[in-house]
Amino acid sequence: MDSKAGWNRRRLLQAVGASVPTLKLVGVAASAAQGDGAKFTPIDLSPYFNASSAEFGPRGMGRQTGAPGARGDVLIRPPGGKQELQGIPFLLGPEDVQQKSWIAVSTAGQPWAAPKIEIPIGHTAPCLCLAQFCDWDPNEIDQSSFESIEHLGQKLAEATLVYEDGSEFSAPIRRRLEVHAPSISFGYQCFLAMPSSTWEPAKLTDPLPNGLGWGNLQTVAKGKSPGQAPLWIWALENPNPDRKVKALRVRAVAEDPVVLCGLTLFHGREHPLRRERRTLYRITLPSPTAEEKGRWTVEVDLGVVVRTYVLPEFDPESWLRADGAGFGERSAEPSQSRHLYAEIAASADATLEVRDTASGGRYQFDLIRAVPGQELEARRGSSRIEILEREKTWIHGQVVDSATGRPTPVRLAFRSKAGRYIPPYGHRTEINGGWFQDYAADAKISSNSYAYVDGTFQAELPVGELYVEISKGFEYKAIREKLEIQPSQRELKLQIGKHADLRSKGWVTADTHVHFLSPSTAVLEAQAEGLNLVNLLAAQWGDLYTNVGDLPFGPLTSPDKETVVWVGTENRQHLLGHIGLLGGRGEPVFPMSADNPSEAFIGDPLWSSMAEWADACRKREGVVVAVHFPNPFAELAADIVLGKIDAVELYPQGDGGFRTRGYNDWYRYLNCGYRVTAAGGTDKMGTYTPVGGNRTYAYIGQEQFDFSSWAKAVRAGRTFASSGPLLLFQADGRMPGGEIPMRKGEAAVEVSVEANSHVPFHRIEIVHNGRVVASREEKAGTKRMAFSESVKVQAPGWLTARCSSTLGPSLSARFGIAAHTSPVYLSVAGEEQFSEPALTYLLTLVEGTRGYVEKLATRPDTESFARVLKVFADAREHLHRRLHEQGR
């Protein structure tokens, strides 16, 4: 709006009390030159300076509290010299407190203040920008009585535009409307002026400067001040922008002074301090070099560049057809891209400058000329910009289960047609994937970001073409769809449905190993991932303790009773090992860590063995799991041979393969006759891992689901561990955990296996005593495979089934796509399964661990130390006996 009537209308709004929004945005001046066609004309006030900071003296809040703007002498020190305040260039006086650098007006008759001052202008200007401050309000500082009412709106001075034709226009300068003190209490912002201290965007990866903690950095906004004491920038709107202003007269009307530090004429068409809402621009560069780090800079004067980025390559049609929806995928890094994206919050009159640091090229755009749907050419050069997603609509959405028609929790992501992630409200745009850094209801799996919602959501979505991805664990078919959002649309209903229902067949699923979430957030994420049980483990990390405060309150259950979060503990020693103590009636097993960092704290003794921790958990009817098996693995040999471990967590490789130390060590224990259940857990410690991304399926049959029924199934070995496929296996009609009585020697066993998955897998194998005895393969991939056959086996022994996919590396940062069942055992009366190499290896582990405890561990009291040593003596005796019985 550039007409005289428009400026008069805004002046009227100001006069009746309407305030300019106090958005505090950093500005980088892209066009501040004086001259014809310039946006700003800074005025040199030095001939009229009549006051210095020293003359003004320590006073007000500065004298009483040493507030911002004060050093040891509590003198006011605003910025000086050439400054850009709120994106407006000013010529300020020197920062030397002894030099005259201000214009002060007051009726008090001080030698350093005049009753009025008149500054020659000689220009037309729609707006004059004043950088100024006033003295502190004594009644604002002194709140000892209810009668101490601040002088809000006190008229301190009058600003008058004197035109060449002799006419005048006057506007008041009032306390906390057009002007304010150099330091203020929280919440005491000015109504019609903006502070010179501003905000600028930060990045999650920025270093932590002094005074800015990690938590503050998560807001991705940080304060920026050009000086110690803020000035207040007031835009005096000229109701007659076409008339030449001869002079600006500032006349005091109160003893309290008003101090003018800077004056700049603004020649734009809109209010220079009002920012438009954040807008996404696509910048087309002169050459395909957008991905070259540090080459291109984007700056704006009256506003702030919130973020700039280059989007990964995204082909919507290929994305819709691709396998692996819901599993996350690695996006192709951009190359030879000409498109740079910038989110900008700025005045309509702002100037955007794109600079090529390699060639020195500068491309400027007047944002007021940018029109949605049309590319705007730079003033000079071959660069262009275009407003994207300007038209948006606020949506109330639902994701419903296609079978019930009711909202169901899911993991959800919207993408623009260019591939930009658009979160629903309440979820962040840039998800922090660091350890112990972000435990909100968000996930970032490989390159893909997601939000967990309870089946309902609200979001401001761009009108037009949009893409959505929805997933809910392993039994629902993850979906990717193209949407068309209409301008008047206010509601959106999406559907997701099951491709399998193992819950109705007696199976429940759990994550054995989760950290850092709050229990209520864990419930939401578990529901959205199709989990029945989350074992949230409190732990000690040096002098950091996590989730310990959640232990006393027992389990948290969803309203439908189908999802429960139990808080247990992960007890840890850096060499002996880590174990998950699940359930245990919610009673912790303390201490949770022992014997120095990085698990315990410096100087902590070896209070306890893992075996003692395991015994305490079992007395409380808990489940003991060797987490992230087998590492650290020193004491595990002793604990497994002594029968203290219920299950081991197995982690498939990125290619879905099983050639890992975890699987190989588990097979060794099985080949020595030690029965330990296969479990799946995530060790989730950040948004980079979805809860249940690797999980345990346990068969409880017709029993009511609770921790007790799940624990009984795990102890019995009725499980399979999975990071995607649903794998069912039987041998001679027995399910995992079952036992087939046999005669010693070779025999035939009928096996049957079935796998279903919503992401393709490629191979199923039957494993006998560690070796594959039957298999099927689909090189192109399949989502269902089943077969039955007779296999030759040796008893005693064991049989399991496993399946895998080759899609893993492109889909998950942590887990391949695979599943593995617990064994069906082949027993012979009076015979033990035996492997001399494996038993000898276990004996060496026991001996080595005992050596560490005796020689290097920080010793506890004598009684505790003796108990720890006894674990290894008992294990050593057990292994020697078995070797002796076999004549070794």
Side-chain angles (χ1 to χ4, degrees):
M1 186 180 297
D2 58 351
S3 66
K4 175 179 176 180
W7 283 99
N8 277 328
R9 185 178 70 85
R10 284 194 293 279
R11 182 174 65 84
L12 176 62
L13 289 173
Q14 199 175 63
V16 299
S19 64
V20 176
T22 54
L23 293 175
K24 298 183 289 183
L25 302 172
V26 67
V28 183
S31 58
Q34 183 177 350
D36 292 341
K39 189 187 301 183
F40 306 107
T41 305
I43 303 297
D44 182 5
L45 299 181
S46 59
Y48 314 102
F49 289 155
N50 61 1
S52 70
S53 178
E55 291 171 322
F56 194 76
R59 57 207 298 131
M61 193 178 293
R63 183 179 66 246
Q64 292 192 13
T65 66
R71 294 179 185 169
D73 55 10
V74 295
L75 295 176
I76 299 169
R77 286 180 167 83
K82 293 182 179 180
Q83 296 284 347
E84 292 160 5
L85 310 178
Q86 289 293 343
I88 301 168
F90 287 94
L91 298 176
L92 306 178
E95 292 186 2
D96 188 336
V97 296
Q98 301 298 327
Q99 290 192 52
K100 294 186 183 295
S101 54
W102 304 340
I103 299 173
V105 296
S106 167
T107 63
Q110 298 98 329
W112 47 265
K116 70 176 179 179
I117 190 77
E118 192 161 300
I119 303 165
I121 302 298
H123 287 274
T124 59
C127 186
L128 285 77
C129 300
L130 284 69
Q132 57 189 358
F133 68 90
C134 66
D135 204 348
W136 283 271
D137 179 356
N139 280 8
E140 181 184 327
I141 298 172
D142 179 13
Q143 289 291 305
S144 60
S145 167
F146 75 92
E147 295 176 343
S148 300
I149 301 175
E150 315 82 282
H151 297 138
L152 177 65
Q154 176 191 8
K155 187 174 178 180
L156 303 176
E158 189 175 71
T160 300
L161 300 180
V162 181
Y163 298 104
E164 290 271 343
D165 61 6
S167 61
E168 297 182 353
F169 166 75
S170 296
I173 301 177
R174 296 162 292 180
R175 183 184 298 278
R176 207 178 159 196
L177 276 84
E178 293 82 13
V179 73
H180 210 346
S183 62
I184 62 173
S185 300
F186 173 74
Y188 278 72
Q189 290 287 345
C190 205
F191 294 119
L192 300 179
M194 296 283 283
S196 57
S197 56
T198 59
W199 293 96
E200 65 179 0
K203 295 181 180 179
L204 294 175
T205 54
D206 281 354
L208 297 179
N210 292 334
L212 180 63
W214 176 86
N216 298 97
L217 185 60
Q218 302 311 293
T219 67
V220 291
K222 57 187 177 183
K224 180 181 180 182
S225 176
Q228 288 195 308
L231 298 173
W232 294 91
I233 315 304
W234 171 49
L236 170 59
E237 297 172 84
N238 181 2
N240 305 291
D242 297 328
R243 294 187 195 175
K244 182 176 285 189
V245 178
K246 178 182 179 182
L248 169 67
R249 181 191 309 132
V250 181
R251 181 178 64 88
V253 298
E255 291 187 0
D256 288 346
V258 169
V259 178
L260 179 63
C261 299
L263 175 64
T264 294
L265 310 183
F266 174 64
H267 304 290
R269 292 181 282 180
E270 294 292 336
H271 197 295
L273 299 177
R274 181 171 55 243
R275 307 303 188 230
E276 301 296 322
R277 64 169 300 171
R278 189 172 64 251
T279 300
L280 176 64
Y281 293 86
R282 185 181 67 189
I283 303 168
T284 302
L285 303 174
S287 59
T289 53
E291 69 281 355
E292 294 184 14
K293 294 187 182 301
R295 174 160 180 175
W296 296 94
T297 63
V298 181
E299 298 177 344
V300 67
D301 52 7
L302 295 173
V304 60
V305 178
V306 178
R307 55 173 69 94
T308 61
Y309 45 85
V310 182
L311 287 173
E313 295 179 6
F314 179 67
D315 175 32
E317 293 305 316
S318 298
W319 180 82
L320 288 170
R321 296 191 304 267
D323 292 320
F327 274 76
E329 58 197 347
R330 298 188 189 279
S331 300
E333 290 298 320
S335 62
Q336 298 293 299
S337 174
R338 295 188 66 178
H339 292 148
L340 184 63
Y341 295 83
E343 294 179 42
I344 296 171
S347 164
D349 277 305
T351 298
L352 176 70
E353 181 174 278
V354 180
R355 187 180 305 168
D356 183 351
T357 60
S359 68
R362 299 160 68 99
Y363 308 92
Q364 292 186 336
F365 304 88
D366 297 321
L367 296 186
I368 201 167
R369 297 174 55 223
V371 177
Q374 299 179 18
E375 286 193 306
L376 174 65
E377 297 283 346
R379 292 179 190 165
R380 292 181 298 276
S382 56
S383 183
R384 306 184 303 277
I385 64 168
E386 181 181 359
I387 296 176
L388 300 181
E389 305 171 9
R390 184 63 174 263
E391 189 175 9
K392 299 180 180 180
T393 183
W394 192 265
I395 293 287
H396 289 252
Q398 284 188 333
V399 181
V400 300
D401 188 313
S402 59
T404 66
R406 293 193 295 269
T408 187
V410 295
R411 178 156 43 89
L412 171 75
F414 290 104
R415 286 192 181 198
S416 71
K417 61 183 179 181
R420 183 175 72 92
Y421 172 60
I422 305 172
Y425 183 78
H427 298 266
R428 62 185 310 157
T429 302
E430 295 182 78
I431 297 173
N432 192 333
W435 181 87
F436 193 54
Q437 290 189 357
D438 197 338
Y439 9 97
D442 297 296
K444 186 166 187 179
I445 310 170
S446 292
S447 304
N448 300 152
S449 299
Y450 302 90
Y452 287 105
V453 299
D454 67 355
T456 64
F457 62 89
Q458 296 184 46
E460 189 181 38
L461 299 178
V463 169
E465 188 177 315
L466 190 68
Y467 296 84
V468 67
E469 180 174 4
I470 310 172
S471 66
K472 186 180 173 71
F474 300 164
E475 296 176 43
Y476 281 77
K477 182 181 179 182
I479 63 171
R480 288 177 173 177
E481 291 183 1
K482 178 181 177 180
L483 307 174
E484 194 70 31
I485 303 299
Q486 302 301 319
S488 59
Q489 188 171 345
R490 298 295 178 267
E491 295 183 352
L492 177 64
K493 181 178 283 190
L494 304 164
Q495 288 191 357
I496 190 169
K498 287 188 172 184
H499 73 91
D501 188 0
L502 266 63
R503 181 70 184 92
S504 66
K505 297 176 181 178
W507 293 86
V508 293
T509 184
D511 190 331
T512 55
H513 192 174
V514 172
H515 291 291
F516 304 154
L517 293 176
S518 70
S520 55
T521 299
V523 170
L524 171 62
E525 295 196 12
Q527 289 180 301
E529 296 289 358
L531 283 169
N532 301 108
L533 172 65
V534 170
N535 291 285
L536 181 61
L537 304 185
Q540 177 185 356
W541 323 77
D543 199 37
L544 168 67
Y545 297 83
T546 57
N547 289 110
V548 173
D550 298 312
L551 281 163
F553 300 98
L556 183 62
T557 304
S558 64
D560 64 3
K561 311 297 183 185
E562 280 295 298
T563 301
V564 60
V565 173
W566 270 85
V567 185
T569 62
E570 182 182 353
N571 290 48
R572 311 176 328 131
Q573 201 275 350
H574 68 281
L575 182 120
L576 271 62
H578 297 187
I579 54 173
L581 306 182
L582 316 185
R585 297 195 296 265
E587 299 175 42
V589 179
F590 288 161
M592 293 186 296
S593 290
D595 190 31
N596 288 303
S598 59
E599 283 77 356
F601 193 47
I602 301 168
D604 281 351
L606 186 60
W607 321 82
S608 171
S609 65
M610 290 169 55
E612 290 177 84
W613 285 329
D615 288 343
C617 178
R618 284 179 154 186
K619 285 180 182 178
R620 298 165 190 177
E621 300 176 356
V623 173
V624 180
V625 178
V627 296
H628 43 71
F629 180 79
N631 298 320
F633 59 88
E635 192 192 321
L636 277 180
D639 296 339
I640 289 177
V641 303
L642 294 176
K644 299 183 182 295
I645 304 295
D646 295 311
V648 295
E649 277 179 2
L650 300 171
Y651 288 73
Q653 287 282 66
D655 61 356
F658 301 100
R659 294 187 180 92
T660 69
R661 182 169 200 125
Y663 289 105
N664 288 336
D665 269 18
W666 181 45
Y667 291 172
R668 292 185 186 104
Y669 284 110
L670 294 176
N671 283 342
C672 290
Y674 301 113
R675 298 185 178 186
V676 279
T677 297
T682 56
D683 196 9
K684 174 180 171 64
M685 290 192 278
T687 55
Y688 52 85
T689 302
V691 65
N694 186 41
R695 63 184 64 183
T696 307
Y697 273 87
Y699 181 77
I700 65 170
Q702 299 304 309
E703 290 192 49
Q704 180 179 342
F705 165 64
D706 55 20
F707 183 86
S708 178
S709 61
W710 177 83
K712 184 165 65 173
V714 170
R715 294 190 198 103
R718 299 193 299 268
T719 70
F720 67 88
S722 176
S723 55
L726 310 174
L727 183 63
L728 302 180
F729 170 64
Q730 288 190 347
D732 275 359
R734 274 81 162 180
M735 68 185 313
E739 185 174 322
I740 304 173
M742 301 181 69
R743 294 179 180 178
K744 186 175 182 179
E746 188 175 85
V749 173
E750 295 296 323
V751 297
S752 62
V753 63
E754 175 186 348
N756 290 278
S757 177
H758 78 271
V759 63
F761 62 95
H762 299 81
R763 187 173 177 83
I764 291 182
E765 298 171 328
I766 305 299
V767 179
H768 169 54
N769 292 356
R771 301 186 183 280
V772 175
V773 293
S775 65
R776 297 290 188 276
E777 185 172 11
E778 288 284 350
K779 291 186 177 181
T782 181
K783 295 183 179 180
R784 185 183 184 280
M785 189 187 299
F787 69 88
S788 300
E789 70 174 71
S790 178
V791 298
K792 296 292 186 180
V793 298
Q794 291 284 337
W798 50 273
L799 282 164
T800 64
R802 64 192 193 188
C803 69
S804 60
S805 170
T806 61
L807 296 177
S810 64
L811 294 176
S812 173
R814 296 200 63 203
F815 309 119
I817 298 170
H820 204 305
T821 73
S822 287
V824 175
Y825 298 99
L826 314 172
S827 65
V828 176
E831 292 284 341
E832 288 185 336
Q833 192 168 4
F834 182 83
S835 167
E836 181 182 0
L839 280 174
T840 302
Y841 164 73
L842 299 181
L843 181 59
T844 305
L845 274 178
V846 170
E847 294 283 15
T849 308
R850 185 182 68 169
Y852 166 79
V853 171
E854 289 180 333
K855 302 294 185 182
L856 298 179
T858 300
R859 294 190 177 188
D861 60 273
T862 303
E863 183 180 347
S864 298
F865 188 55
R867 286 199 309 269
V868 173
L869 285 175
K870 188 176 185 302
V871 172
F872 303 102
D874 290 347
R876 183 175 182 272
E877 181 183 350
H878 169 90
L879 291 168
H880 271 297
R881 177 186 58 79
R882 290 201 65 192
L883 286 167
H884 178 73
E885 288 173 351
Q886 296 297 325
R888 306 301 198 275

